[in-house]
Amino acid sequence: MPSDALSIARDLVRCPSVTPADAGALNVLETLLKGAGFDVHRITFSEPGAADIDNLYSRIGTTGPHIAFAGHTDVVPPGDEGAWTRGAFSGDVVDGFLYGRGTVDMKGGIACSVAAALDYLAEHGGQPGKDGDGSISFLITGDEEDIAVNGTVKLMQWAAARGEKFDHCVLGEPSNIEELGDCIKIGRRGSQSGTLYVDGVQGHVAYPHRASNPIPDIAALITALVSDPLDRGSAQFQPSNLEFTSVDVGNPAANVIPGQARAKFNIRFNDHHSQESLRTLIEARVAEISGNRIATRIVWEPSNADVFLTEPGPFTDLLVAAIEEVTGRKPELSTGGGTSDARFIKDYCPVIEFGLVGQTMHQIDERTPVADLERLTRIYRGVLDRYFA
């Protein structure tokens, strides 16, 4: 089986692994890694109310330093497959671009990390590190694009229970914005969702004195909550933001004052807050605005998306140097964007995110330049050279 990044990426893309289906994607990786001498484990995790998820952990080497590459082989649905220029799972190469769902997010990144590791091992007698000292591993899951309960979070727990210790991790999410080498993710804001309820008294619109309309009250609360900043940002993070995403009263009648109004919201928060302190802050603000006049409550949704930051230092410097050598660019160290599985890995070792350019991820005709696959492989190879130097 060919071990260059393009061949690996094409084999992965041709597996229609829409969450929670694996569709053979992990078999592709297992065959390659076993052939290179990796110890490979396939672990299925289950949880009531969620799909069973197949995961892969592989390692070569038994000592430190230990660098892990992480990623997910599951992808979002392709949407209208008839709208694709090439088949959504074709893996076709046209005019220098590899097409298919997952090429960017993130089978392409996984392919590059595997190709780089195999190339490094082939040049170093099948052993990582100087004189065989060191370890390379892969943490690959299949449920990142869904609720993420039977993937990386449990795979990290499983590995820790076995005594696996990681020194650093590179997560191959598509971190770049415009061009390869423009951005490294060194952290992510946390995410917390909830629903604000305002209770009134239902009644006839012709007799408003017999009712209490919750709509003006919830409108005032929404306006006040979004008008008052949660913070002004921090050294590495942009300001936290609260966004209301829906408002509903469940009332189809034009002549009835509703008895309740509710509004869903999501907060992306920085390192000024924890989930607990953030909930306390929002509840205090709601209580202050509403006083004793408005009956309110907030129902918080469970969240496993905490804020995290990998402080700039030798590991980020190492990746920056590898990127500059290949692309000539010095990347921005960013904490913007949404959540990723790095939020689970950060509890076990420092983790940074660097992969392909994310412009077409989740879109019709998702694609990546073949040249970017080749350059990302060279960057990852440069990371390994420097890491074990």
Side-chain angles (χ1 to χ4, degrees), residues 276-298:
E276 183 178 355
S277 69
L278 184 70
R279 294 179 180 188
T280 300
L281 173 63
I282 298 302
E283 288 172 354
R285 288 190 177 184
V286 168
E288 180 181 359
I289 298 165
S290 60
N292 295 322
R293 185 179 61 84
I294 306 172
T296 64
R297 70 184 189 280
I298 296 175

Side-chain angles (χ1 to χ4, degrees), residues 105-321:
D105 189 13
M106 58 165 286
K107 291 177 175 180
I110 291 173
C112 293
S113 61
V114 171
L118 297 186
D119 184 62
Y120 178 89
L121 292 169
E123 191 173 306
H124 290 78
Q127 292 294 324
K130 209 170 186 179
D131 302 321
D133 294 330
S135 298
I136 302 170
S137 63
F138 288 89
L139 294 151
I140 310 296
T141 185
D143 78 339
E144 195 271 352
E145 297 290 3
D146 197 11
I147 57 176
V149 297
N150 284 324
T152 299
V153 61
K154 289 184 178 177
L155 188 59
M156 299 305 296
Q157 294 168 354
W158 173 89
R162 283 172 47 88
E164 302 283 343
K165 297 184 184 299
F166 305 95
D167 293 304
H168 298 90
C169 180
V170 177
L171 176 60
E173 286 283 358
S175 60
N176 296 280
I177 301 169
E178 298 289 341
E179 295 180 290
L180 189 69
D182 65 21
C183 186
I184 299 171
K185 300 286 186 183
I186 61 169
R188 297 275 190 166
R189 291 185 298 172
S191 177
Q192 175 65 68
S193 295
T195 303
L196 171 65
Y197 290 86
V198 175
D199 294 320
V201 178
Q202 183 174 315
H204 197 293
V205 295
Y207 304 95
H209 57 285
R210 298 175 180 170
S212 177
N213 195 333
I215 295 177
D217 292 333
I218 202 168
L221 280 165
I222 290 172
T223 301
L225 286 170
V226 300
S227 298
D228 191 5
L230 294 170
D231 54 65
R232 300 190 181 280
S234 65
Q236 299 289 350
F237 287 89
Q238 63 193 92
S240 304
N241 68 291
L242 186 157
E243 297 292 338
F244 281 92
T245 56
S246 73
V247 181
D248 188 29
V249 294
N251 178 27
N255 62 346
V256 176
I257 294 172
Q260 185 185 82
R262 53 193 177 273
K264 291 183 177 294
F265 62 89
N266 177 265
I267 306 170
R268 296 302 167 106
F269 60 94
N270 59 33
D271 53 351
H272 283 305
H273 312 275
S274 65
Q275 288 185 29
E276 183 178 355
S277 69
L278 184 70
R279 294 179 180 188
T280 300
L281 173 63
I282 298 302
E283 288 172 354
R285 288 190 177 184
V286 168
E288 180 181 359
I289 298 165
S290 60
N292 295 322
R293 185 179 61 84
I294 306 172
T296 64
R297 70 184 189 280
I298 296 175
V299 176
W300 298 100
E301 294 183 13
S303 174
N304 57 13
D306 288 313
V307 63
F308 80 92
L309 174 68
T310 296
E311 292 284 353
F315 188 50
T316 54
D317 292 345
L318 180 153
L319 181 54
V320 167

Side-chain angles (χ1 to χ4, degrees), residues 98 191 291 331 365:
L98 173 64
S191 177
D365 280 348

Side-chain angles (χ1 to χ4, degrees), residues 65-83:
H66 182 183
I67 185 171
F69 290 94
H72 62 91
T73 52
D74 65 312
V75 299
V76 298
D80 180 6
E81 295 195 52

Side-chain angles (χ1 to χ4, degrees), residues 308-342:
F308 80 92
L309 174 68
T310 296
E311 292 284 353
F315 188 50
T316 54
D317 292 345
L318 180 153
L319 181 54
V320 167
I323 293 168
E324 281 191 290
E325 182 180 58
V326 174
T327 69
R329 300 185 185 91
K330 186 171 184 177
E332 174 192 2
L333 302 183
S334 170
T335 58
T339 59
S340 74
D341 274 1

